[in-house]
Structures are given as C-alpha cells and as structure tokens.
C-alpha cells in the first residue's frame, strides 16, 4: 500500500527506521539470557568468522551433508524470491501489487506447511521421507515455474513450492542433533552465518542469470538453475542417509581378546 501511495523509497526508509529502532531497543533494554557463569571472558574472535562457521558445519559427515542440502535448497529459494517480481512483470505483465499478494499468500502457506506438513506426513513416511518429499517437490515446482506459460500456472507453482519448504525444519534438526554435546547453539549460529553468505551469493548469481536469460531470450534460466541446485542438495541428503544406514548395519568391531574368550574351552 505504501509503495503505491508514496513509492519504493519510503518503503525502504520505513524498513530501515524500524530496524534501527529495534536494534537500539535490543542493545539497551533486552536482557542477557546467558547466565554470568557461562559467559566467556572475552570474544572468541577465532570462531567469530565465516571460515570458522564452515569448519563447524563440516565436523561430521552428517552435519556437512545436511548443511549442504539446506544451503543448496536455499539457493533455489532465494533465486525465486529475488526475481519473482521482475520475472512476473516481464513474463506475464503483472503489477507489483499482484506479485506482492502472491508472496503474501505463499508466506501463509509456508507457515502452515512447516507446522502441519511434518505432523501429518512424518507418521506415514517418516522424517526422512518428509525431507525427501519436500526437496523433490521444490525442484519440480521450480521447473514448473520456468515452463509455465500462464500467470495462473506460475502462481500455482509458487504456492506449491511453499508447501515444499516443510523439509527445512527437519534438515535444521538433523544439523542441530549432529552437534557435539553443548555445541548445539554454536552449530546453529554457524549455520546462520553461512546461510547469510549463501543468501548473498544467491542474490548475485540468480540476478545475473535472470539478466543473462533476458538478453538471450531464456528468461526462465534461473529457475532451471535453482532446480538443479536443489536436486544436488537432494543427492547430498540421500548420500547422508545411505551412509548412516551403512553405519547402523555394520557389525560392531570385535577385539581379539573377546574372540579368544569366546573360543576358550569351558572349565567345569
């Protein structure tokens, strides 16, 4: 509404002002939640950087594969978010208000699916099945967006892709569970740091792909690239699941001493 009445500059000014006020309130009035005895005496600068976050996420094969799956999923999702307005206007002649309405509707569907989706599907197909279903559905939805020749088909694909995000809580849970004891917070903080870099990369990459696609009469190329990224993330997830199954199926190691005890003649 504000963008139609005043223009986009006022929208960004309002958002920036709100963020500034929120930052001041947090800095001055928000209580410290960590008890004093658990606070570090100084900032651990060695861990407060993006490279340390990468190392944290790569501590185990499970955390590495699950993080890769989540970040690749977000590459496709951010590509949709950054280009949806311009793509809908270029391809279907939509007004910005129409795209805003679609994004608002997809946000509602996203919130409901993230809560209800795992609750309804996990008892039937398991947590692994929910993640697998969400990733594959999102890849298909991105392809459908790129191939859609009508605004209605595009809108349906966008709303369906919001349903597919039900896989994100499960992936985040796997990453948290793979952390060492007492390191769950550090693991999730590292994930948030790397996700910020992932978001910046997605915005730059997908915007340039969209611009290249317009110049070369292939405006949907960023959707196809996003679908490929999501499928690559799905492969990372499947590799993690297969590796975990092999570990569980492998027999426990037997020491030579236990073998000698088992083969020793009984003394009666």
């Amino acid at each position: 509404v504000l963008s139609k009445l005043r223009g986009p500059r006022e929208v960004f000014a309002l958002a920036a002002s709100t963020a500034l006020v929120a930052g001041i309130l947090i800095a001055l009035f928000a209580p410290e939640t960590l008890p004093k005895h658990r606070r570090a005496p100084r900032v651990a600068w060695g861990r407060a950087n993006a490279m340390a976050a990468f190392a944290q996420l790569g501590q185990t094969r499970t955390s590495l594969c699950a993080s890769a799956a989540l970040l690749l999923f977000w590459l496709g999702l951010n590509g949709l978010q950054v280009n949806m307005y311009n793509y809908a206007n270029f391809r279907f002649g939509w007004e910005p208000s129409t795209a805003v309405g679609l994004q608002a509707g997809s946000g509602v569907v996203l919130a409901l699916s993230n809560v209800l989706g795992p609750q309804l599907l996990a008892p039937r197909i398991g947590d692994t099945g929910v993640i697998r279903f969400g990733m594959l559905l999102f890849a298909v939805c991105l392809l459908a967006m790129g191939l859609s020749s009508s605004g209605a088909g595009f809108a349906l694909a966008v709303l369906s892709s919001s349903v597919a995000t039900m896989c994100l809580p499960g992936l985040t849970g796997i990453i948290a569970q793979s952390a060492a004891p007492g390191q769950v917070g550090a693991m999730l903080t590292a994930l948030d740091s790397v996700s910020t870099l992932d978001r910046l990369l997605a915005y730059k990459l997908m915007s340039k792909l969209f611009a290249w696609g317009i110049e070369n009469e292939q405006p949907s190329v960023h959707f196809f690239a996003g679908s490929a990224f999501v499928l690559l993330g799905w492969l990372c997830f499947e590799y993690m699941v297969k590796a975990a199954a092999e570990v569980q199926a492998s027999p426990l190691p037997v020491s030579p001493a236990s073998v000698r005890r088992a083969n020793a003649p009984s003394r009666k």
Side-chain angles (χ1 to χ4, degrees):
V1 175
L2 183 61
S3 62
K4 294 188 88 172
L5 295 176
R6 306 282 299 182
R9 186 179 297 274
E10 281 70 15
V11 174
F12 286 109
L14 177 61
S17 302
T18 304
L20 177 62
V21 172
I24 293 174
L25 292 175
I26 291 171
L28 298 179
F29 302 107
E32 174 59 62
T33 57
L34 194 65
K36 286 187 177 181
H37 68 276
R38 295 189 58 189
R39 300 178 194 175
R42 63 184 64 182
V43 177
W45 294 109
R47 292 183 296 171
N49 61 80
M51 297 310 298
F54 279 111
Q56 179 83 16
L57 294 177
Q59 285 184 347
T60 66
R61 179 165 51 186
T62 298
S63 63
L64 178 62
C65 292
S67 299
L70 183 102
L71 294 172
L72 287 166
F73 186 98
W74 270 105
L75 271 178
L77 181 56
N78 286 324
L80 166 63
Q81 292 174 340
V82 72
N83 290 321
M84 190 177 74
Y85 297 155
N86 293 328
Y87 179 83
N89 176 264
F90 176 82
R91 189 78 186 273
F92 308 114
W94 284 9
E95 293 293 330
S97 57
T98 305
V100 169
L102 175 60
Q103 188 173 43
S106 65
V108 174
V109 174
L110 184 148
L112 292 174
S113 65
N114 277 227
V115 175
L116 298 178
Q119 291 182 1
L120 296 175
L121 293 180
R124 295 169 174 80
I125 60 178
D127 294 331
T128 299
V130 171
I131 296 173
R132 181 180 293 120
F133 172 75
M135 297 196 74
L136 291 177
L137 175 61
F138 192 71
V140 171
C141 287
L142 287 173
L143 285 175
M145 292 175 209
L147 296 174
S148 179
S149 58
S150 67
F154 177 76
L156 179 61
V158 171
L159 293 175
S160 300
S161 71
S162 298
V163 175
T165 59
M166 70 174 69
C167 65
L168 295 177
L171 284 172
T172 305
I174 291 174
I175 296 169
Q177 292 171 4
S178 66
Q183 294 295 313
V184 174
M187 181 71 79
L188 294 179
T189 300
L191 179 64
D192 185 65
S193 299
V194 177
S195 296
T196 301
L197 295 177
D198 179 76
R199 194 156 45 244
L200 293 174
L201 172 64
Y203 288 167
K204 290 289 185 182
L205 175 62
M206 294 303 186
S207 296
K208 290 185 178 296
L209 273 177
F210 181 43
W212 179 90
I214 292 176
E215 292 178 355
N216 293 271
E217 298 183 353
Q218 299 181 41
S220 303
V221 65
H222 63 284
F223 287 127
F224 303 144
S227 180
F229 285 130
V230 176
L231 287 175
L232 182 59
W234 167 70
L235 291 176
C236 292
F237 174 74
E238 292 295 343
Y239 172 76
M240 181 201 73
V241 172
K242 181 180 178 182
E246 290 175 353
V247 170
Q248 292 179 354
S250 61
L252 295 175
V254 180
S255 65
S258 63
V259 174
R260 287 194 297 270
R261 286 195 300 269
N263 294 330
S266 60
R267 297 177 181 177
K268 296 184 180 180

